[in-house]
Amino acid sequence: MNLATYLQERKTYVEAAMEAHLAQCTEMPTRLREAMQYSLTAGGKRLRPILVTAAAEAVGGDAAAVLSCACAFEMIHTYSLIHDDLPAMDNDDLRRGRPTSHKVYGEAMAILTGDALLTEAFAVLSEPSVAACVAPEVLVVVIHEVAMAAGGAGMVGGQALDMLAEHRQLTLPEVEQVHRCKTGALLQAAVVCGARLARAERPAVAALRRYGAAIGLAFQIADDLLAIEGTTEMLGKKVGNDLARDKATYPAMLGAEAARARMHALGAEAVDALTDFDERAAPLRALARYIIERKS
Ligand code: GRG
């Protein structure tokens, strides 16, 4: 398979679905909808929604049937970026190559935009057209998985741990815990939810959970390496912020080479988790490689 073509096709597919959804959100204030649209359409790799569709297909499901769930993951991810960029957090001016939400809409509206995207994600996940096609017991499990990954035990909790750890010496297991929650939880849940909606058997879900955990941590190590070795043009955001804030990362703790070795080992672990899957998991295998080799 040609990964570049696959990624581009999937990106277009997911973006069209998000645009269509936003066009239907006519009951919210126009300015809020504009701000949601501004951040949602700013680009980005769309990795989480692509993982939802790839995982569904890996277990014999259909990408179209999990498209709402895919959009929900991108909405949650985008909300986290908006809030992460706020002056109270990372105070960044640039995201996805554009001025950050609070720079354009002001802090209060940026907070509300993040809140609305998070809430909208659950509306999309549970909208009647989805609920009509998915067994209620499956949908409830998926909604719970998303909530746990996004909330205090997952992404938000990881962000809190990260914040509390600034200027404090963390151990490597503590750094790993921060990464697994802050970044890994949502990536892992994207894979698991795609598979669950496609009615995957229990062993397949367990294998995909292992795959998701490995790519989740590898993704963050890759991100931390890019933060040292990348440029603003490549990444669409300011580089060097983590160093300035004295954040604990794998490269900072182990050095770039050892961090890279750990990242490659995690990539291999992810591919290994897919041993019992057939050719339909080819995109997931390619995505594991992409996550560690990406330049943005
Ligand atoms: C709830 C405020 C709040 C934060 C949650 C995810 C997160 C924690 C903060 C976002 C900032 C950050 C550095 C997160 C680590 C995960 C990460 C590298 C996000 C960037 O993801 P990409 O590279 O972004 O997939 P694109 O723009 O391609 O979608």
Side-chain angles (χ1 to χ4, degrees):
M1 67 173 292
N2 181 324
L3 184 66
T5 310
Y6 173 83
L7 289 175
Q8 192 48 53
E9 279 172 8
R10 284 294 149 107
K11 199 164 135 63
T12 308
Y13 187 47
V14 168
E15 285 173 354
M18 287 193 303
E19 291 266 10
H21 181 79
L22 275 181
Q24 287 168 13
C25 296
T26 49
E27 283 176 33
M28 60 174 79
T30 308
R31 184 79 174 155
L32 179 62
R33 183 151 62 109
E34 266 174 34
M36 290 163 76
Q37 197 157 21
Y38 175 80
S39 292
L40 265 186
T41 59
K45 295 178 287 298
R46 313 303 192 188
L47 188 57
R48 293 147 192 85
I50 292 174
L51 282 167
V52 174
T53 63
E57 288 176 328
V59 298
D62 180 14
V66 298
L67 198 50
S68 291
C69 177
C71 291
F73 272 93
E74 189 62 18
M75 287 176 178
I76 294 175
H77 170 59
T78 302
Y79 121 75
S80 81
L81 299 180
I82 294 172
H83 281 194
D84 188 62
D85 290 334
L86 286 167
M89 299 235 185
D90 274 2
N91 194 18
D92 275 313
D93 296 350
L94 201 62
R95 169 71 68 180
R96 291 172 163 173
R98 285 191 187 182
T100 44
S101 179
H102 65 272
K103 284 282 156 191
V104 180
Y105 294 95
E107 268 183 69
M109 188 55 97
I111 292 169
L112 292 173
T113 304
D115 295 342
L117 282 168
L118 171 61
T119 317
E120 199 59 30
F122 286 93
V124 172
L125 255 182
S126 57
E127 68 190 1
S129 63
V130 175
C133 305
V134 183
E137 66 276 15
V138 173
L139 195 52
V140 168
V141 167
V142 166
I143 290 172
H144 186 252
E145 182 91 28
V146 177
M148 293 305 288
M155 183 179 74
V156 173
Q159 179 80 347
L161 285 175
D162 202 17
M163 204 179 76
L164 294 167
E166 268 176 38
H167 309 300
R168 193 167 73 76
Q169 201 65 41
L170 294 190
T171 63
L172 201 56
E174 286 174 326
V175 173
E176 186 168 316
Q177 172 70 359
V178 171
H179 291 350
R180 285 197 187 278
C181 293
K182 186 177 90 166
T183 313
L186 205 62
L187 287 162
Q188 184 184 43
V191 176
V192 169
C193 290
R196 282 203 188 280
L197 285 170
R199 305 304 299 253
E201 300 286 345
R202 204 181 279 233
V205 173
L208 289 171
R209 205 177 273 290
R210 285 201 304 283
Y211 168 89
I215 59 158
L217 189 52
F219 180 93
Q220 184 60 53
I221 299 177
D223 209 67
D224 292 333
L225 285 164
L226 282 169
I228 303 169
E229 296 162 358
T231 62
T232 299
E233 290 67 42
M234 279 163 67
L235 303 176
K237 62 183 179 185
K238 200 171 150 215
V239 292
N241 269 11
D242 288 359
L243 286 178
R245 286 171 157 259
D246 200 15
K247 283 210 173 169
T249 65
Y250 265 80
M253 294 192 78
L254 298 178
E257 280 326 297
R260 206 180 308 281
R262 173 83 172 116
M263 177 182 75
H264 281 284
L266 286 160
E269 212 174 294
V271 173
D272 191 54
L274 302 176
T275 304
D276 292 337
F277 289 68
D278 62 21
E279 254 321 282
R280 291 173 298 185
L284 286 181
R285 295 187 182 96
L287 283 163
R289 280 191 296 278
Y290 166 74
I291 280 169
I292 60 182
E293 287 166 7
R294 68 199 170 95
K295 298 284 175 254
S296 69

Coordinates of all heavy atoms in Angstrom, one line a residue, residues 103-170:
K103 N -5.6 33.6 20.2 CA -5.0 34.8 19.5 C -6.1 35.4 18.6 O -6.1 36.7 18.4 CB -3.8 34.4 18.7 CG -2.6 34.2 19.6 CD -2.0 35.5 19.9 CE -1.2 35.4 21.2 NZ -0.8 36.8 21.8
V104 N -6.9 34.6 18.0 CA -7.9 35.1 17.1 C -9.2 35.5 17.7 O -9.8 36.5 17.5 CB -8.2 34.0 16.0 CG1 -9.2 34.5 15.0 CG2 -6.9 33.6 15.3
Y105 N -9.7 34.6 18.7 CA -11.0 34.8 19.3 C -11.0 35.3 20.7 O -12.0 35.5 21.3 CB -11.8 33.5 19.2 CG -12.1 33.1 17.7 CD1 -11.2 32.2 17.1 CD2 -13.1 33.6 17.1 CE1 -11.5 31.8 15.7 CE2 -13.4 33.2 15.7 CZ -12.5 32.4 15.1 OH -12.8 32.0 13.8
G106 N -9.8 35.4 21.3 CA -9.7 35.8 22.7 C -9.8 34.6 23.6 O -10.3 33.5 23.2
E107 N -9.3 34.8 24.8 CA -9.1 33.6 25.7 C -10.5 33.0 26.1 O -10.6 31.8 26.1 CB -8.5 34.1 27.0 CG -7.0 33.9 27.0 CD -6.4 34.3 28.3 OE1 -6.6 33.6 29.3 OE2 -5.7 35.3 28.3
A108 N -11.4 33.8 26.4 CA -12.7 33.3 26.9 C -13.4 32.5 25.8 O -13.9 31.4 26.1 CB -13.6 34.4 27.4
M109 N -13.4 33.0 24.6 CA -14.0 32.2 23.5 C -13.2 31.0 23.2 O -13.8 29.9 22.8 CB -14.1 33.1 22.3 CG -15.0 32.5 21.2 SD -16.6 32.0 21.7 CE -17.6 33.4 21.2
A110 N -11.9 31.0 23.3 CA -11.1 29.8 23.1 C -11.4 28.7 24.1 O -11.5 27.5 23.8 CB -9.6 30.1 23.1
I111 N -11.6 29.1 25.4 CA -12.0 28.1 26.4 C -13.4 27.5 26.0 O -13.6 26.3 26.0 CB -12.1 28.8 27.8 CG1 -10.7 29.2 28.2 CG2 -12.7 27.9 28.8 CD1 -10.6 30.1 29.5
L112 N -14.3 28.4 25.6 CA -15.7 27.9 25.3 C -15.6 27.0 24.0 O -16.3 26.0 23.9 CB -16.6 29.1 25.1 CG -16.9 29.9 26.3 CD1 -17.8 31.1 26.0 CD2 -17.7 29.0 27.4
T113 N -14.7 27.4 23.1 CA -14.6 26.6 21.9 C -14.1 25.2 22.2 O -14.7 24.2 21.7 CB -13.6 27.3 20.9 OG1 -14.1 28.6 20.7 CG2 -13.5 26.5 19.6
G114 N -13.2 25.1 23.1 CA -12.7 23.8 23.5 C -13.8 23.0 24.2 O -14.0 21.8 23.9
D115 N -14.5 23.7 25.1 CA -15.6 23.0 25.8 C -16.7 22.5 24.9 O -17.2 21.4 25.0 CB -16.3 24.0 26.8 CG -15.4 24.5 27.9 OD1 -14.4 23.8 28.2 OD2 -15.7 25.6 28.5
A116 N -17.0 23.4 23.9 CA -18.0 23.0 22.9 C -17.6 21.8 22.1 O -18.4 20.9 21.8 CB -18.4 24.2 22.0
L117 N -16.3 21.8 21.7 CA -15.8 20.6 20.9 C -15.8 19.3 21.7 O -16.2 18.3 21.1 CB -14.4 20.9 20.4 CG -14.3 21.9 19.2 CD1 -12.8 22.3 19.0 CD2 -14.8 21.2 17.9
L118 N -15.4 19.4 22.9 CA -15.5 18.2 23.8 C -16.9 17.7 23.9 O -17.1 16.5 23.7 CB -14.9 18.5 25.1 CG -15.0 17.4 26.2 CD1 -14.3 16.2 25.8 CD2 -14.5 17.9 27.5
T119 N -17.8 18.6 24.1 CA -19.2 18.2 24.3 C -19.8 17.7 23.0 O -20.5 16.7 23.0 CB -20.0 19.3 24.9 OG1 -19.3 20.0 25.9 CG2 -21.3 18.9 25.5
E120 N -19.5 18.4 21.9 CA -20.0 18.0 20.6 C -19.5 16.6 20.2 O -20.2 15.9 19.5 CB -19.5 19.1 19.6 CG -20.3 19.1 18.3 CD -21.8 19.4 18.5 OE1 -22.2 20.1 19.4 OE2 -22.6 18.8 17.7
A121 N -18.3 16.3 20.7 CA -17.8 14.9 20.3 C -18.8 13.9 20.9 O -19.0 12.9 20.2 CB -16.4 14.8 21.0
F122 N -19.3 14.1 22.1 CA -20.2 13.1 22.6 C -21.5 13.1 21.9 O -22.2 12.1 21.8 CB -20.3 13.2 24.2 CG -19.0 12.7 24.8 CD1 -18.0 13.6 25.1 CD2 -18.9 11.4 25.1 CE1 -16.8 13.1 25.7 CE2 -17.7 10.9 25.7 CZ -16.7 11.8 26.0
A123 N -21.9 14.3 21.5 CA -23.2 14.4 20.7 C -23.0 13.6 19.4 O -23.9 12.9 19.0 CB -23.5 15.9 20.4
V124 N -21.9 13.8 18.7 CA -21.6 13.1 17.5 C -21.6 11.6 17.7 O -22.2 10.8 16.9 CB -20.3 13.5 16.8 CG1 -19.9 12.7 15.6 CG2 -20.3 15.0 16.4
L125 N -21.0 11.2 18.7 CA -20.8 9.7 19.0 C -22.2 9.1 19.3 O -22.3 7.9 18.9 CB -20.0 9.6 20.3 CG -18.6 9.1 20.3 CD1 -18.1 9.0 21.7 CD2 -18.4 7.8 19.6
S126 N -23.1 9.8 19.8 CA -24.4 9.2 20.2 C -25.6 9.7 19.4 O -26.7 9.5 19.8 CB -24.6 9.6 21.7 OG -24.6 11.0 21.9
E127 N -25.3 10.4 18.3 CA -26.4 10.9 17.5 C -27.3 9.8 17.0 O -26.9 8.7 16.8 CB -25.9 11.9 16.4 CG -25.2 11.2 15.3 CD -24.5 12.2 14.3 OE1 -24.6 13.4 14.6 OE2 -23.9 11.7 13.4
P128 N -28.6 10.1 16.8 CA -29.6 9.1 16.5 C -29.2 8.2 15.3 O -29.4 7.0 15.3 CB -30.8 9.9 16.2 CG -30.7 11.2 17.0 CD -29.2 11.5 17.0
S129 N -28.5 8.9 14.3 CA -28.2 8.0 13.1 C -27.2 7.0 13.4 O -27.1 5.9 12.8 CB -27.7 8.9 11.9 OG -26.5 9.6 12.3
V130 N -26.3 7.3 14.4 CA -25.3 6.3 14.9 C -26.0 5.3 15.8 O -25.9 4.0 15.6 CB -24.2 7.0 15.7 CG1 -23.2 5.9 16.2 CG2 -23.4 8.0 14.8
A131 N -26.8 5.8 16.7 CA -27.4 4.9 17.7 C -28.4 3.9 17.0 O -28.5 2.7 17.4 CB -28.2 5.7 18.7
A132 N -28.9 4.3 15.8 CA -29.8 3.4 15.1 C -29.0 2.2 14.5 O -29.6 1.1 14.2 CB -30.5 4.1 14.0
C133 N -27.7 2.3 14.3 CA -26.9 1.3 13.6 C -26.0 0.5 14.5 O -25.4 -0.5 14.1 CB -26.1 1.9 12.5 SG -27.0 2.9 11.3
V134 N -25.9 0.9 15.8 CA -25.0 0.2 16.7 C -25.8 -0.4 17.8 O -26.7 0.3 18.4 CB -23.9 1.2 17.2 CG1 -22.9 0.5 18.1 CG2 -23.2 1.9 16.1
A135 N -25.4 -1.6 18.3 CA -26.1 -2.2 19.4 C -25.9 -1.3 20.6 O -24.7 -0.8 20.8 CB -25.6 -3.6 19.7
P136 N -26.9 -1.0 21.4 CA -26.8 -0.1 22.5 C -25.6 -0.4 23.5 O -24.9 0.4 24.0 CB -28.1 -0.1 23.3 CG -29.1 -0.7 22.3 CD -28.3 -1.5 21.3
E137 N -25.5 -1.8 23.7 CA -24.4 -2.2 24.7 C -23.0 -1.9 24.1 O -22.1 -1.6 24.9 CB -24.6 -3.6 25.1 CG -24.4 -4.7 24.0 CD -25.6 -5.0 23.2 OE1 -26.5 -4.2 23.2 OE2 -25.6 -6.0 22.5
V138 N -22.9 -1.9 22.8 CA -21.6 -1.6 22.2 C -21.3 -0.1 22.3 O -20.3 0.4 22.7 CB -21.5 -2.0 20.7 CG1 -20.3 -1.6 20.0 CG2 -21.7 -3.5 20.6
L139 N -22.4 0.7 22.0 CA -22.2 2.2 22.0 C -21.9 2.7 23.4 O -21.0 3.6 23.5 CB -23.5 2.8 21.5 CG -23.4 4.3 21.1 CD1 -22.3 4.5 20.1 CD2 -24.7 4.8 20.5
V140 N -22.5 2.1 24.4 CA -22.2 2.5 25.8 C -20.8 2.2 26.1 O -20.1 3.1 26.7 CB -23.2 1.9 26.8 CG1 -22.7 2.1 28.2 CG2 -24.6 2.4 26.6
V141 N -20.3 1.1 25.7 CA -18.9 0.7 26.0 C -18.0 1.7 25.3 O -17.0 2.1 25.9 CB -18.6 -0.8 25.6 CG1 -17.2 -1.1 25.6 CG2 -19.4 -1.7 26.6
V142 N -18.3 2.0 24.1 CA -17.4 2.9 23.3 C -17.4 4.3 24.0 O -16.4 5.0 24.1 CB -17.9 3.0 21.8 CG1 -17.3 4.2 21.1 CG2 -17.5 1.7 21.1
I143 N -18.6 4.8 24.3 CA -18.7 6.1 25.0 C -17.9 6.2 26.2 O -17.2 7.1 26.6 CB -20.2 6.5 25.2 CG1 -20.9 6.8 23.8 CG2 -20.3 7.8 26.1 CD1 -22.4 7.0 23.9
H144 N -18.0 5.1 27.0 CA -17.2 5.0 28.3 C -15.7 5.0 28.0 O -15.0 5.7 28.6 CB -17.6 3.7 29.0 CG -17.0 3.6 30.4 ND1 -16.0 2.7 30.7 CD2 -17.2 4.4 31.5 CE1 -15.7 2.9 31.9 NE2 -16.4 3.9 32.5
E145 N -15.3 4.3 27.0 CA -13.9 4.2 26.6 C -13.4 5.6 26.2 O -12.3 6.0 26.6 CB -13.7 3.2 25.4 CG -12.3 3.0 24.9 CD -11.6 1.8 25.6 OE1 -12.3 0.9 26.0 OE2 -10.4 1.9 25.7
V146 N -14.2 6.3 25.5 CA -13.8 7.7 25.0 C -13.7 8.6 26.3 O -12.7 9.3 26.4 CB -14.8 8.3 24.0 CG1 -14.4 9.7 23.6 CG2 -14.8 7.4 22.7
A147 N -14.7 8.5 27.1 CA -14.7 9.4 28.3 C -13.5 9.1 29.2 O -12.8 10.0 29.7 CB -16.0 9.2 29.1
M148 N -13.2 7.8 29.4 CA -12.1 7.5 30.3 C -10.8 7.9 29.7 O -9.9 8.4 30.4 CB -12.0 6.0 30.5 CG -13.2 5.4 31.3 SD -13.4 6.2 32.9 CE -12.0 5.6 33.8
A149 N -10.6 7.8 28.4 CA -9.4 8.2 27.7 C -9.2 9.7 27.8 O -8.0 10.2 27.8 CB -9.3 7.7 26.3
A150 N -10.3 10.4 27.7 CA -10.2 11.9 27.6 C -10.1 12.6 28.9 O -9.5 13.7 29.1 CB -11.3 12.5 26.8
G151 N -10.6 11.9 30.0 CA -10.8 12.6 31.2 C -9.6 12.5 32.2 O -8.4 12.4 31.9
G152 N -10.0 12.6 33.5 CA -9.0 12.6 34.6 C -8.1 11.4 34.7 O -6.9 11.5 35.1
A153 N -8.5 10.3 34.2 CA -7.7 9.1 34.3 C -6.9 9.0 33.0 O -6.0 8.1 32.8 CB -8.5 7.8 34.5
G154 N -7.1 9.9 32.0 CA -6.4 9.8 30.7 C -5.8 11.1 30.4 O -4.9 11.6 31.1
M155 N -6.2 11.7 29.3 CA -5.6 12.9 28.7 C -5.5 14.1 29.7 O -4.4 14.7 29.9 CB -6.3 13.3 27.4 CG -5.7 14.4 26.7 SD -6.6 14.8 25.2 CE -8.0 15.6 25.8
V156 N -6.7 14.4 30.3 CA -6.7 15.6 31.2 C -5.8 15.3 32.4 O -5.0 16.1 32.9 CB -8.1 16.0 31.6 CG1 -8.1 17.0 32.7 CG2 -8.9 16.5 30.4
G157 N -5.9 14.1 32.9 CA -5.0 13.7 34.0 C -3.6 13.7 33.7 O -2.7 14.2 34.5
G158 N -3.2 13.3 32.5 CA -1.8 13.4 32.0 C -1.3 14.8 31.9 O -0.2 15.1 32.3
Q159 N -2.2 15.7 31.5 CA -1.8 17.1 31.4 C -1.6 17.7 32.8 O -0.7 18.4 33.0 CB -3.0 17.8 30.6 CG -2.7 19.3 30.5 CD -1.8 19.6 29.3 OE1 -1.1 18.8 28.8 NE2 -1.7 20.9 28.9
A160 N -2.5 17.3 33.7 CA -2.3 17.7 35.1 C -1.0 17.2 35.7 O -0.2 18.0 36.3 CB -3.5 17.3 35.9
L161 N -0.7 16.0 35.5 CA 0.6 15.4 36.0 C 1.8 16.1 35.4 O 2.7 16.5 36.0 CB 0.7 13.9 35.6 CG -0.2 12.9 36.4 CD1 0.0 11.5 35.7 CD2 0.3 12.9 37.8
D162 N 1.6 16.4 34.1 CA 2.7 17.1 33.4 C 2.9 18.5 33.9 O 4.1 18.9 34.2 CB 2.3 17.2 31.9 CG 3.5 17.4 31.0 OD1 4.6 17.1 31.4 OD2 3.3 17.8 29.8
M163 N 1.9 19.2 34.2 CA 1.9 20.5 34.8 C 2.5 20.5 36.2 O 3.4 21.3 36.5 CB 0.5 21.0 34.8 CG 0.3 22.5 34.8 SD -1.5 22.8 34.9 CE -1.8 22.4 36.6
L164 N 2.1 19.5 37.0 CA 2.6 19.4 38.3 C 4.0 19.1 38.4 O 4.7 19.3 39.4 CB 1.7 18.4 39.1 CG 0.3 18.8 39.3 CD1 -0.6 17.6 39.8 CD2 0.1 19.9 40.3
A165 N 4.5 18.5 37.3 CA 5.9 18.0 37.3 C 6.9 19.0 36.8 O 8.1 18.7 36.9 CB 6.0 16.7 36.4
E166 N 6.4 20.1 36.4 CA 7.4 21.1 35.8 C 8.4 21.5 36.9 O 8.1 21.8 38.0 CB 6.6 22.4 35.3 CG 6.3 22.2 33.8 CD 5.5 23.4 33.3 OE1 5.7 24.5 33.7 OE2 4.6 23.1 32.5
H167 N 9.6 21.6 36.5 CA 10.8 22.0 37.3 C 11.0 21.0 38.5 O 11.5 21.3 39.5 CB 10.6 23.4 37.9 CG 10.3 24.4 36.8 ND1 11.1 24.7 35.8 CD2 9.2 25.2 36.6 CE1 10.6 25.6 35.0 NE2 9.4 25.9 35.5
R168 N 10.5 19.8 38.3 CA 10.7 18.7 39.3 C 11.3 17.6 38.6 O 11.0 17.3 37.4 CB 9.3 18.3 39.9 CG 9.4 17.5 41.2 CD 8.1 17.4 41.8 NE 7.1 16.5 41.1 CZ 7.1 15.2 41.2 NH1 8.1 14.6 41.8 NH2 6.2 14.5 40.5
Q169 N 12.2 16.9 39.3 CA 12.9 15.7 38.7 C 12.0 14.5 38.7 O 11.6 14.1 39.8 CB 14.2 15.5 39.5 CG 15.2 14.7 38.7 CD 15.8 15.4 37.5 OE1 16.0 16.6 37.6 NE2 15.9 14.7 36.4
L170 N 11.6 14.0 37.5 CA 10.7 12.8 37.5 C 11.6 11.6 37.2 O 12.6 11.7 36.6 CB 9.7 12.9 36.4 CG 8.6 14.0 36.5 CD1 7.5 13.7 35.4 CD2 7.9 13.9 37.8

